[in-house]
Structures are given as C-alpha cells and as structure tokens.
Amino acid sequence: MTVGPLPPFQHLLDEHGPAVWRFVRASVGVVDGADCYQEAVLAALRAYPGLRHGDNLKGWLFTVAQHKVLDHHRRVTRRREATEAPPDQPVFDGEPADDGLWAAVGRLPTKQRLAVLHRFVADLPYVEIAGLLDCSEAAARQNVRAALARLRDEPVLAMTMEDRP
Amino acid sequence: MIDDIPLRLRERATPGSDGVPVTVVERLRAAAESGGLVDVAWAAVDTPVGRLTAAATPLGLVRIGFEGEERVLESLAARLSPRVLELPSRLDDVRRQLDQYFAGRRQAFDLPIDPALSRGFRRDVLTELCRVGYGQTVSYAELARRVGHPRASRAVGTAMGTNPIPIVQPCHRVVRTGGGLGGYGGGLDVKRTLLTLEGALLA
C-alpha cells in the first residue's frame, strides 16, 4: 500500500525527465535514444501506482532508466555477436558530428560508463550514483575517476580545450 | 593541460537544448495513452476567465480547475491515481466545446462526465444542477427543494463550492434568493463574466 500520496507522475517528468533523457541518449546514442527513453518512462508509469512511498523518486526513475539502458546494451551486444561484428564496437550510435567522444565512452566498462554518464550528463551527486550502481560512494567516485583516466588516454580525445578549433 | 572531458561530455549531451524534444514527448504521450497507462489526463485550456486545468479519466471529464487554484493535479493524484499525465489529445473535445461556449456559439456541453469526485447528496445536487439551462439562474433554496431537501440550501451551497467540474456543471447559475450573486470557487468576477456571457446579467 502507498504510504502518503505520490505526486502526479507529470511532476516527476517535469522535474527529472530532461536529465533522464540526457542520460539515456548519451548511453545508447541518438538513433535508439528516443525508443529507450520511451521504454523507460512507460515502464516507470506502469509501476508508479505500486510504489510504497514517494521517497527518492528521482533515484527510482534513474534506476528504471538504467535498467532499460542495460537491456538495450545486452540486446545490441547479442545482435552483434549473432552477426559476428568486431567485439570492440560501441553499443550505441554516435552523433553525426561526433569527435569520437561517445564512441570512446561506449568502449568503457559498463560500470565506468554508467558512472561517468550519471555524473556529467545527468549531473547526479555521488551519493545517488552509488545507489544506482549499488556500490559505496567512494567506489562511485573511483569509477568516475577511472573512466576519465581511460578517456584521457584515448588518442582521439587527447586534445585540450586550447588545441580545439 | 586542461582536463575538458567532463565539459565535453556535458556539451555533447545537450546539443541545442536541455529539454526532451517535442517529437519524443508527443510519441511518448501517444504510447502511454494507447497502452492504457494514463489514469488522469490533463491539459491547460486558455479562456477569457483565465487558464483552466481540465482533467479527464478514461470515463470522461472529471475536473476543471481555475487559474490560481492550488494543487489541482496533486489532489487528483491523491484522490484518483498518481498516473497523471499531460495529454491534451484526450481533452480535445473539452477544449473545443469550451472555446465554442466562450465564443457564444454553444449553450450546452455534450461531454462524457466522470463523477468520481462527488458522492451522495453532492452528486445528486450536481446532477439536478445540470438541468438548469443556459442563461437561467436558480436560487440555492430552490435547488435544495428540487432535490427533495428544501431545508438544505446551505448544504447545496457547499455542493456548489466543491463542484469539481465548474462551468460544464454550471454552478455559476446558482444565486441567492434575493438576487445576490452568492459565492463562486473561481471568484465572483468569473461568476459575473459567465452570467453576463449567458445573458443572465446585464453587461
């Protein structure tokens, strides 16, 4: 049973929808982003009345979205295995005018990829990232640090701001 | 060396704007509606008496809130279902008929109504109220008499004050016995505007 009224679902979307959208889109790419976002929001809408309380709805919404992102990654990986595509292909499609950044993010290990996207794309604090990744706050920070270190080592991303046109 | 990767991640994530694109929002709304996931759909309706919030369940129109009325959606979430979504397509008929009404081209609403927010005596009074036609007025006492409770004019006043679907359920047509306007949830200016529009009050 619900303890205390849940806010209207629309308020959740108004407040957190844009951040969820950025996270999903950055996680699965521009081509599948809209579908994946829709799947996530519909799944949340389906489950919403059954929530026991309205605490940390933002974290809950991101958990649902992260599930959909991981489902998507698994689907794409399976599809690529079935077609024997090279294993190092990223699991999402890059931006049309990408400089290799998204592709590099896509090559990160799953936990590091999610951590860095939650941190810099969805702008979540480490305590919430820890909740989403089911790890300690320190481990969440460590995953972000490790992700940034890997990205810095990517030759295509080695340019600094000053070098960029 | 400047570490600009976090900055570049942020920039790349939001080309153009931070918001969810309109096409994505509209597709999502349509999918939620066809999947039967929207228990309460709402839309804003601009009218001469301000921006109204209109809400409908799958059964019909359930609520009209006046501009400035607080916590309309929160109250729907608590009383009906938290699955409340902005879904203007479900309110298309409501918006069209309200537009026609305010343009003076419609005298009666032909809309499915969900009476979920009123019960018992109040629901009976609202049902009787809907028989009071365009441009007519009735007193609280007379309406009490018509529902078979001639001494209940105060309770009729309460039923009007808690009318969940004003304008469509025309509680603005209920006035004091002596001709005074009585009260109105949307404010007396709105009541005066509606009665003037209907020709029940001189402009």
Side-chain angles (χ1 to χ4, degrees):
Chain A
M1 278 303 291
T2 299
V3 179
L6 294 165
F9 190 80
Q10 183 68 52
H11 289 186
L12 235 71
L13 271 193
D14 293 344
E15 211 171 328
H16 309 303
V20 170
W21 162 251
R22 290 197 301 274
F23 163 68
V24 168
R25 193 170 168 284
S27 301
V28 308
V30 64
V31 174
D32 293 328
D35 282 346
C36 193
Y37 174 77
Q38 178 168 314
E39 277 178 33
V41 174
L42 292 182
L45 189 56
R46 203 169 283 120
Y48 191 51
L51 287 188
R52 288 170 167 275
H53 56 72
D55 295 347
N56 193 17
L57 291 172
K58 179 185 179 187
W60 172 74
L61 201 55
F62 269 94
T63 304
V64 176
Q66 185 177 281
H67 280 148
K68 292 298 171 192
V69 163
L70 291 173
D71 283 351
H72 176 270
H73 288 177
R74 275 191 287 270
R75 266 201 311 274
V76 172
T77 308
R78 269 202 304 273
R79 204 157 59 220
R80 293 209 167 138
E81 279 168 5
T83 56
E84 291 175 1
D88 62 339
Q89 291 265 313
V91 287
F92 58 85
D93 305 285
E95 295 293 324
D98 195 12
D99 58 4
L101 178 63
W102 284 150
V105 170
R107 286 191 290 272
L108 293 170
T110 303
K111 213 159 187 173
Q112 290 182 17
R113 183 173 65 242
L114 293 174
V116 84
L117 293 176
H118 283 317
R119 180 66 197 97
F120 297 115
V121 174
D123 262 330
L124 297 181
Y126 282 107
V127 60
E128 288 181 18
I129 300 171
L132 286 165
L133 300 182
D134 198 20
C135 64
S136 69
E137 211 176 314
R141 284 178 193 278
Q142 177 51 34
N143 271 296
V144 171
R145 268 201 302 272
L148 289 177
R150 273 191 188 233
L151 291 174
R152 274 185 219 112
D153 285 344
E154 289 274 350
V156 68
L157 301 176
M159 266 190 326
T160 67
M161 283 287 273
E162 291 141 325
D163 298 329
R164 289 166 70 195
Chain B
M1 172 177 152
I2 296 172
D3 180 8
D4 67 337
I5 286 177
L7 185 66
R8 287 163 73 179
L9 283 166
R10 285 201 172 101
E11 276 177 359
R12 284 308 156 104
T14 56
S17 96
D18 271 8
V20 186
V22 175
T23 49
V24 174
V25 171
E26 286 182 351
R27 220 163 53 105
L28 170 67
R29 286 174 179 163
E33 175 75 319
S34 66
L37 295 174
V38 186
D39 298 330
V40 181
W42 70 275
V45 187
D46 286 314
T47 73
V49 296
R51 173 168 283 204
L52 309 178
T53 300
T57 68
L59 294 178
L61 181 63
V62 74
R63 181 84 171 93
I64 286 180
F66 286 106
E67 187 168 337
E69 222 177 307
E70 286 182 1
R71 306 182 67 80
V72 173
L73 298 182
E74 285 89 341
S75 157
L76 289 166
R79 294 185 64 186
L80 296 177
S81 161
R83 289 205 294 208
V84 179
L85 204 68
E86 186 174 7
L87 187 65
S89 61
R90 199 189 283 174
L91 283 307
D92 277 352
D93 264 357
V94 173
R95 285 189 297 173
R96 190 172 47 82
Q97 294 196 22
L98 282 169
D99 285 349
Q100 292 168 341
Y101 170 79
F102 281 106
R105 288 186 282 110
R106 172 174 288 275
Q107 299 203 342
F109 292 96
D110 179 19
L111 295 165
I113 298 288
D114 182 348
L117 295 176
S118 53
R119 295 203 167 78
F121 177 74
R122 290 182 190 176
R123 188 184 286 190
D124 295 344
V125 177
L126 290 170
T127 305
E128 186 59 37
L129 168 70
C130 291
R131 300 204 176 94
V132 180
Y134 187 90
Q136 298 170 353
T137 57
V138 64
S139 69
Y140 295 93
E142 171 62 16
L143 196 53
R145 195 189 60 73
R146 288 187 193 175
V147 290
H149 294 273
R151 292 151 63 98
S153 49
R154 193 170 289 270
V156 165
T158 306
M160 295 303 104
T162 55
N163 176 10
I165 319 176
I167 303 176
V168 172
Q169 295 182 149
C171 57
H172 57 279
R173 294 176 192 153
V174 186
V175 296
R176 288 225 177 100
T177 305
L181 277 184
Y184 196 62
L188 279 183
D189 281 349
V190 173
K191 189 169 190 173
R192 210 171 280 121
T193 302
L194 296 176
L195 289 173
T196 305
L197 167 76
E198 296 187 7
L201 272 184
L202 291 180

